Amino acid sequence: MPRHSGHHRHHRRRHRHHSGHHGHHRRRVRFKHRERNFIAAVCSMIVIVTLCTALAEPSWFYVKCGGCRLQKNVYIQNTTLGAHQFFYVGFFEEFYTTQGDHQVTHYIYHNGAKADATLIDCVTPKAVLVLRCCIALTFLAIVFSFLGFTLDLYGPTGRTPKLIRRYGFGSILTVLICVTINGLCFYVTEMLVELQRNTRTHPGMATAVRFSVSFYLIAVAGAVSIIAVACSLLRRYPPHEESRRDSRLLDDFDGMYAGMPPLPANVPPPPAYSP
């Protein structure tokens, strides 16, 4: 008989421990689901794809009727410049010509492992430095967007991750980076316009440097990041006190359930009803 009683006590302790663990897991799942923000996560994923496309797209600037060309003595009226041409650590060569009474500096940029991978009169050393900063900032924006995507998708309930997620810090930083990249692109166009005017084949030819696909993709990524920030800030979350009260109620309920003795097996059915 004592052995049977000890067995029941051990069974109740195991049942209480299992019920408490199951209730704690259920409570964590409930609050994590409440903290998730799927709309903001979708926006962050769109931003990541757009930024990656901007890096892979071979057209960031469009140069028209300038001296920019890919090979010596081969002049192309229209040329496009993309981020892929500045990933490789290249080097510059300079040579000088005289037009009228002033000297013109020409730049040959070797931008690849092959000897014929060159940009002639397309960029200056300062322009390449700024473009590499734009590439680094684009990667940084991808990292911040991925951080926001992860937090919005999984909804961790820790104090710091919850603060970062609810106020959309990842998307806000992405917006600021996209604005900075586009501002640097404006600066690059000013340098490219001056270079094209100095190196154009005919003095009276009208030159132009315009933004191309990647620039507008960066702008779209910034706009979608603003939508992600709005989704994070406008979403209604449960107040902190309400969350704590619900947590205490769930704890009390799990404790009451865990303290109840287990139902005996093979319980006989109740007697039939008789008037």
Side-chain angles (χ1 to χ4, degrees), residues 19-271:
S19 300
H21 178 74
H22 182 69
H24 178 68
H25 176 71
R26 184 174 65 250
R27 183 168 62 256
R28 285 181 59 192
V29 171
R30 177 180 176 182
F31 284 110
K32 284 180 66 175
H33 180 72
R34 184 180 294 182
E35 292 291 336
R36 291 174 179 174
N37 192 339
F38 292 106
I39 300 178
V42 171
C43 291
S44 298
M45 179 53 65
I46 294 174
V47 171
I48 294 172
V49 174
T50 305
L51 292 174
C52 292
T53 306
L55 288 176
E57 175 64 37
S59 180
W60 203 312
F61 299 97
Y62 175 78
V63 181
K64 180 180 179 181
C65 298
C68 180
R69 57 196 186 278
L70 303 181
Q71 297 178 4
K72 286 186 176 181
N73 302 321
V74 178
Y75 292 91
I76 303 175
Q77 188 174 7
N78 302 323
T79 309
T80 57
L81 301 176
H84 68 284
Q85 295 170 316
F86 305 99
F87 283 116
Y88 183 81
V89 180
F91 61 94
F92 276 91
E93 292 183 6
E94 297 182 7
F95 65 96
Y96 304 92
T97 60
T98 302
Q99 292 184 1
D101 56 350
H102 64 280
Q103 189 179 45
V104 178
T105 304
H106 299 267
Y107 298 95
I108 302 176
Y109 178 59
H110 298 269
N111 63 327
K114 298 181 180 180
D116 58 347
T118 57
L119 294 174
I120 302 173
D121 290 337
C122 295
V123 289
T124 63
K126 185 182 293 186
V128 171
L129 179 62
V130 176
L131 286 172
R132 286 179 179 168
C133 290
C134 292
I135 294 172
L137 289 175
T138 304
F139 279 112
L140 188 62
I142 292 173
V143 171
F144 284 129
S145 297
F146 184 76
L147 173 65
F149 168 77
T150 304
L151 295 178
D152 289 326
L153 184 63
Y154 291 100
T157 56
R159 183 175 181 180
T160 301
K162 182 166 63 176
L163 183 67
I164 295 174
R165 184 189 63 257
R166 288 190 175 186
Y167 290 97
F169 283 118
S171 298
I172 290 174
L173 292 174
T174 302
V175 173
L176 296 178
I177 291 174
C178 290
V179 173
T180 303
I181 293 173
N182 285 345
L184 292 176
C185 288
F186 275 105
Y187 181 52
V188 171
T189 56
E190 295 296 326
M191 291 186 285
L192 296 184
V193 166
E194 182 179 0
L195 178 63
Q196 299 310 307
R197 288 175 179 173
N198 294 332
T199 59
R200 56 191 173 184
T201 55
H202 302 286
M205 182 181 295
T207 61
V209 178
R210 300 173 183 173
F211 300 115
S212 194
V213 179
S214 294
F215 174 84
Y216 297 108
L217 288 176
I218 297 293
V220 170
V224 178
S225 296
I226 294 176
I227 298 176
V229 174
C231 293
S232 299
L233 296 179
L234 298 179
R235 188 176 188 275
R236 294 180 62 87
Y237 293 97
H240 181 65
E241 294 297 329
E242 180 183 348
S243 299
R244 293 182 59 184
R245 184 173 65 251
D246 292 343
S247 179
R248 288 196 298 267
L249 289 175
L250 287 172
D251 285 335
D252 295 339
F253 177 78
D254 291 335
M256 292 173 58
Y257 181 77
M260 294 177 62
L263 294 176
N266 300 324
V267 177

